[in-house]
Amino acid sequence: ATVKEERNDTGDVSRTQVLELLQQIRDVAMMNDSQLEHVAARHWAKRKEHLRLRVERYMLSGDWPTAKARLEELEALFPDDPDIQQLSQRVSEEHALRLDEDLKIARAQIKQLYKLNAWQEAEEIVDGLQRKYPHDREVDEITREVENKKEEVEREIRENLLANVTEATAKHDWMRGVAALEEFLHRFPSDKLSDRLRIDLLTMRDNAGAQERKEQEAMFKDLLKRHEYEKADALAKSVIEKFPNSSTAAELSKLLPKVEELIFQEKLQRQETAAT
């Protein structure tokens, strides 16, 4: 039968690899003390170099948790090795340097994000720092800073929105009150006041609708006085479409034929004037 050199299609170890492993075990079993000492020295040298290269690679990529884990493994295997002590010093220095650079960049980015109220992006930055530098004191500080700043701004926004609602209610400025309430409920759906404010919103929307219809009706009458019949016609149809079941819609529906007649007469007059 043909011997496969690597692994077969199922991923199992090949016969060649098994035979090589058995041969190595046999060779070791037959070695004297000097040979065993030489083999052990080669093994630990290769093991040390393998782990050292892994530490270097993870340090280069900025994967500090893994780099430090491999370094700890090296230090446990070779506690008094000067090469490992030197590597440990390099890791500490490089870690401090990279951390300082990343914190400077993060603070500058977060400062700009504060101005935009882009809290999700700011939180993503500190989350990235936490993953890269877990349990670092300075990273924890900047994380708390972002959390506190967000809470401060959110608290100020909440108070301002509630003040707007109160002021709008006092002045019967229902449309402004609706806008403030809707924004509050969108921003703070789980706030202790939100359930009560959802009920208030229904009433305020009714009031805002009545206020809007009254204003539109007044504007309609003003357009008629200024003989702007086409604008009055468009406004009336808009109100009827938006508030079809209102008394304002019923009243405007009665006036529309007269307005359309005025538009028709105005067009005829323009045509006659143009003909002469």
Side-chain angles (χ1 to χ4, degrees):
T2 303
V3 177
K4 298 180 180 178
E5 294 184 355
E6 295 299 332
R7 292 176 179 266
N8 60 25
D9 293 338
T10 63
D12 296 332
V13 178
S14 69
R15 291 178 59 189
T16 298
Q17 290 173 310
V18 172
L19 291 174
E20 289 178 353
L21 181 60
L22 290 173
Q23 186 178 13
Q24 291 174 13
I25 294 173
R26 182 199 63 191
D27 291 345
V28 170
M30 297 175 65
M31 288 180 183
N32 58 34
D33 290 345
S34 177
Q35 290 173 318
L36 286 172
E37 185 177 343
H38 179 70
V39 168
R42 287 183 57 193
H43 165 77
W44 289 116
K46 289 175 64 176
R47 178 69 171 157
K48 171 184 170 182
E49 182 64 9
H50 173 70
L51 287 173
R52 186 191 68 78
L53 289 174
R54 293 182 72 186
V55 171
E56 294 275 5
R57 184 168 67 250
Y58 290 125
M59 180 171 61
L60 184 63
S61 67
D63 185 352
W64 299 108
T66 308
K68 289 188 174 183
R70 298 291 77 79
L71 179 61
E72 289 174 359
E73 190 175 347
L74 264 174
E75 290 172 331
L77 291 172
F78 309 99
D80 299 318
D81 190 302
D83 293 337
I84 305 307
Q85 292 173 354
Q86 185 179 11
L87 177 61
S88 176
Q89 180 66 23
R90 282 184 53 227
V91 169
S92 297
E93 292 174 354
E94 187 68 18
H95 177 273
L97 180 63
R98 297 270 196 95
L99 173 60
D100 185 61
E101 292 175 352
D102 286 345
L103 285 173
K104 286 180 180 177
I105 294 172
R107 286 194 172 98
Q109 291 175 333
I110 289 170
K111 185 177 180 180
Q112 294 302 316
L113 292 172
Y114 283 163
K115 298 176 182 178
L116 302 173
N117 284 331
W119 299 109
Q120 181 175 348
E121 290 83 352
E123 289 170 343
E124 288 172 358
I125 289 175
V126 295
D127 286 345
L129 288 173
Q130 287 286 357
R131 288 191 297 271
K132 196 171 183 180
Y133 305 101
H135 313 302
D136 183 86
R137 179 183 58 81
E138 291 184 275
V139 172
D140 289 342
E141 286 178 1
I142 196 172
T143 300
R144 286 193 296 271
E145 177 188 314
V146 171
E147 293 172 351
N148 293 338
K149 187 67 175 179
K150 179 182 178 181
E151 290 176 2
E152 177 187 338
V153 171
E154 291 288 295
R155 183 167 54 252
E156 183 178 346
I157 291 173
R158 178 184 182 276
E159 292 172 357
N160 286 341
L161 287 172
L162 289 175
N164 285 341
V165 171
T166 301
E167 183 179 355
T169 301
K171 294 182 177 180
H172 293 183
D173 188 351
W174 307 117
M175 286 184 281
R176 177 187 169 196
V178 166
L181 268 180
E182 288 177 340
E183 185 176 353
F184 183 94
L185 293 172
H186 174 72
R187 284 180 172 273
F188 311 104
S190 303
D191 189 90
K192 60 183 180 181
L193 297 178
S194 291
D195 286 342
R196 193 199 77 192
L197 293 177
R198 287 187 182 94
I199 298 173
D200 293 344
L201 179 60
L202 298 176
T203 302
M204 196 168 289
R205 278 176 175 163
D206 289 340
N207 293 339
Q211 180 183 7
E212 183 178 357
R213 292 192 298 273
K214 185 177 180 180
E215 291 176 357
Q216 298 283 19
E217 186 176 2
M219 188 181 299
F220 172 80
K221 292 177 180 178
D222 182 63
L223 289 170
L224 289 180
K225 288 180 181 179
R226 291 189 277 117
H227 305 289
E228 297 185 28
Y229 303 125
E230 292 186 1
K231 290 183 179 180
D233 180 71
L235 178 62
K237 288 176 179 177
S238 174
V239 173
I240 292 169
E241 182 180 358
K242 189 171 183 180
F243 306 103
N245 300 319
S246 66
S247 58
T248 303
E251 185 65 26
L252 292 176
S253 296
K254 295 177 183 178
L255 296 173
L256 271 181
K258 179 62 176 177
V259 175
E260 291 171 352
E261 176 63 23
L262 290 170
I263 293 172
F264 178 71
Q265 292 177 5
E266 193 175 60
K267 287 181 179 179
L268 283 179
Q269 187 176 359
R270 285 200 297 266
Q271 290 173 359
E272 291 173 358
T273 302
T276 59

